[in-house]
Amino acid sequence: MKRITGILIALMCAVQIGVHAEESYSDALFRITRDNYSASFFSRLVISTGSQIIKKDSAEENLKNEAVLKDGTTFVPAAAYCAYFGADLEKEENGYVLTQGDLTARISTDLNSISLVYGKGTAEEIILPASAYETAGELYLPVRVLTEQVFASNVAWDGENNRVIITRPYQTKRIIVKTEDGAALPEGMDCKEIITNGKGTWILQFDMSVSDKTVSECAGRLEETTGIKYAEPDVIASAA
């Protein structure tokens, strides 16, 4: 039965599809997220002020320079910290430039602001609540504004232990489908991957570039198909 289901699924999509027969929903979502973010994948970072140690999920790593608590603001060594988000930081004649995919962030020469541009969009200026600074050739940036406004992740302050906790809101577009045993999905679903547990539950994974409208239309087609008990567009953010 699993072999037949796998063959049907392979025929239904024009893109390469992975089938993970015994994978749970949570494991499948974790794998999708990990693969989408590749080397920059993490769920949680913990940085203690006055320490070079950064805890990435369950592993301890070295930032090479200490995080600094200064006048109520936590600063991090920018180059090493940005690398955890898959971003590069370089010094230029007119300040610093940070790049991450289609995102470009320029730190002004006076270190008081950041100019953000996504692709060919209009620049957005962010005034830093506390100026960045340089010491021993290392740029330090305030961790909250860098994390929340540049990397769109969450920051919490643990005052009892003088540490910052960062959680990353991973995003994925998916449709969760529960079917009668042996039901077939319609052809032409514009999905990247289909995951099945072999027990009537499928996850249809879409590229983030696919519009929400397309995902909703796919869900509508599924709801009209005989045997589909549940199909709902699910654009989620999870820091699990």
Side-chain angles (χ1 to χ4, degrees):
M1 179 62 190
K2 290 180 182 177
R3 184 177 180 184
I4 293 172
T5 302
I7 293 171
L8 288 172
I9 291 173
L11 293 172
M12 284 186 289
C13 290
V15 295
Q16 184 176 3
I17 292 171
V19 179
H20 304 264
E22 300 301 328
E23 193 171 34
S24 70
Y25 172 80
S26 59
D27 287 345
L29 180 57
F30 183 89
R31 178 180 56 76
I32 287 168
T33 306
R34 180 198 61 212
D35 293 347
N36 285 350
Y37 282 88
S38 62
S40 63
F41 175 79
F42 66 82
S43 294
R44 189 171 185 258
L45 293 177
V46 179
I47 303 172
S48 298
T49 58
S51 172
Q52 297 181 10
I53 300 300
I54 181 170
K55 191 171 184 181
K56 177 183 175 182
D57 294 326
S58 59
E60 288 190 351
E61 301 181 7
N62 197 318
L63 278 174
K64 298 182 180 179
N65 289 287
E66 296 181 356
V68 176
L69 181 60
K70 184 179 179 182
D71 298 328
T73 299
T74 300
F75 292 82
V76 289
Y81 181 73
C82 290
Y84 281 92
F85 293 85
D88 295 317
L89 182 72
E90 295 184 2
K91 188 170 185 177
E92 295 187 338
E93 184 178 349
N94 297 320
Y96 288 84
V97 61
L98 180 157
T99 55
Q100 181 202 49
D102 292 334
L103 167 68
T104 301
R106 297 187 181 277
I107 296 95
S108 61
T109 51
D110 59 12
L111 304 182
N112 288 326
S113 65
I114 298 176
S115 177
L116 287 180
V117 178
Y118 293 91
K120 298 180 180 179
T122 304
E124 174 189 357
E125 186 176 23
I126 299 171
I127 304 299
L128 297 177
S131 296
Y133 66 92
E134 296 172 294
T135 182
E138 182 78 41
L139 175 68
Y140 281 76
L141 286 168
V143 68
R144 183 175 292 276
V145 68
L146 177 62
T147 304
E148 292 181 343
Q149 299 196 47
V150 177
F151 295 130
S153 295
N154 305 314
V155 177
W157 170 247
D158 177 4
E160 184 176 348
N161 296 295
N162 284 340
R163 63 181 188 173
V164 175
I165 300 171
I166 295 99
T167 51
R168 192 171 190 179
Y170 299 105
Q171 294 188 353
T172 180
K173 290 186 179 180
R174 66 191 185 196
I175 300 175
I176 309 150
V177 182
K178 294 184 179 179
T179 73
E180 299 289 354
D181 186 38
L185 293 174
E187 296 183 7
M189 302 297 290
D190 186 21
C191 56
K192 176 181 180 181
E193 180 178 21
I194 295 179
I195 300 163
T196 177
N197 62 3
K199 301 175 182 177
T201 299
W202 293 340
I203 303 171
L204 279 62
Q205 168 67 19
F206 295 79
D207 280 320
M208 288 299 292
S209 60
V210 174
S211 69
D212 292 350
K213 180 181 178 182
T214 298
V215 177
S216 296
E217 288 174 350
C218 287
R221 290 174 58 198
L222 287 170
E223 290 170 349
E224 295 170 359
T225 301
T226 302
I228 298 297
K229 294 162 59 179
Y230 172 79
E232 179 179 346
D234 187 13
V235 182
I236 64 96
S238 173

